Amino acid sequence: VQLQASGGGLVQPGGSLRLSCAASGRTLSRETVAWFRQAPGKEREFVAGIRWSGGSKFYADAVKGRSTISRDFAESTVDLQMNSLKSEDTAVYYCATSDLSLIASEIRKSARYNYWGQGTLVTVSS
């Protein structure tokens, strides 16, 4: 599976961005697709995830209520709509998926994912 992340950019505090992750090379079925982010000097952290089959969604507390993850079967994409952005949302955002069928307790663990996109930079600044 190849993943291509896009949609990052510079946005003012309080603004919105929509990130997109396009999957190719294999038809997704039971995988979980997730977004992680890594700020300078910090570890990579889970942002949101969605089960391709069934559509269950998972969010980190830091973005819950401000972000929505969604999938598009026709385009094989997973989007992350982020609203009310804050300076602490500044990071490189990565999408990821796994060959494994992840249980809920594994979805937030980056080590469970073996396919990663190249990352897209989100900068929240005035």
Side-chain angles (χ1 to χ4, degrees):
V1 178
Q2 292 80 47
L3 301 175
Q4 180 75 32
S6 62
L10 174 64
V11 62
Q12 292 186 343
S16 298
L17 273 179
R18 189 175 186 88
L19 305 183
S20 186
C21 178
S24 62
R26 186 176 79 199
T27 300
L28 298 178
S29 57
R30 295 185 296 173
E31 293 89 341
T32 296
V33 179
W35 286 94
F36 289 80
R37 67 186 182 187
Q38 188 165 19
K42 295 187 177 182
E43 294 185 354
R44 190 169 297 187
E45 65 175 0
F46 172 81
V47 178
I50 186 167
R51 293 194 191 283
W52 192 257
S53 175
S56 298
K57 301 176 183 181
F58 305 83
Y59 296 96
D61 289 343
V63 303
K64 193 176 295 183
R66 301 189 293 123
S67 297
T68 302
I69 191 169
S70 61
R71 71 198 191 292
D72 185 313
F73 288 113
E75 300 293 329
S76 290
T77 56
V78 172
D79 289 355
L80 180 67
Q81 175 69 41
M82 299 190 296
N83 303 317
S84 303
L85 284 163
K86 308 173 183 179
S87 58
E88 50 263 45
D89 293 317
T90 295
V92 177
Y93 285 70
Y94 299 90
C95 58
T97 191
S98 174
D99 286 323
L100 305 174
S101 182
L102 302 180
I103 60 176
S105 62
E106 297 176 311
I107 286 174
R108 292 173 170 79
K109 299 178 180 179
S110 61
R112 305 304 289 167
Y113 295 82
N114 55 333
Y115 298 102
W116 292 84
Q118 83 288 3
T120 185
L121 176 63
V122 172
T123 303
V124 183
S125 175
S126 56

